[in-house]
Amino acid sequence: MVIKVFLASSSGSTAIKKKQQDVLGFLEALKVDYAPLDIACNEDNRMWMRENVPVEKKPTNGIPLPPQIFNEESYCGDYETFFDAKEDNAVYAFLGLPPPPGSKKREVPMEECNGDEHTEEVEAEVGGETGEEAAEEKVAEEKEAVEDTEESLEDTAPVKEEEAQEEVEDEEAKGEDDQPVSEEEEDE
């Protein structure tokens, strides 16, 4: 299976150039066989790419920008979904390739490989959990962190209220002493 990466060799956008370099560099580092297909110099490549990117994955203007990644005829995703897979350590699953020997990832059938639509079904790297279980665990950890933060705020809130009350009382006491006194009041 050959991974097809659709690129624009003469893009004026530095953002697109960086994204293309990131994808190619990462594929080279993983020693994944890929074919760079230029859409700037080859109209057939451009038309094939545009026709084969799923409608739901196309931007609002309808024209997908490079890099776009395919496994033979099967759409894998764009740079954003590639980046997400890279961050999740799920590039092989994203590309629809079997993981290298010794990897903890399970092989994802080609039917499930379509950009980011299968990420919940891919096993997480830690403990063989599914993506959904890992997400639930992460939500639970975040809730616990929020509760811990709220508790620490509650512990400091009464102290701050007492300090604020003391400051108000001090200001009021100063205010009474600093008031100008008329001669009549002094005589009393």
Side-chain angles (χ1 to χ4, degrees), residues 57-102:
K57 301 291 182 179
K58 289 184 181 179
T60 53
N61 69 0
I63 301 172
L65 297 174
Q68 295 291 330
I69 305 160
F70 289 81
N71 183 336
E72 294 292 338
E73 310 295 312
S74 177
Y75 181 72
C76 296
D78 59 4
Y79 176 78
E80 282 72 27
T81 53
F82 174 81
F83 182 81
D84 291 343
K86 186 170 117 176
E87 290 292 308
D88 294 339
N89 202 17
V91 174
Y92 287 100
F94 167 79
L95 296 171
L97 297 175

Side-chain angles (χ1 to χ4, degrees), residues 4 150 168:
K4 297 178 183 177
E150 288 174 351
V168 168

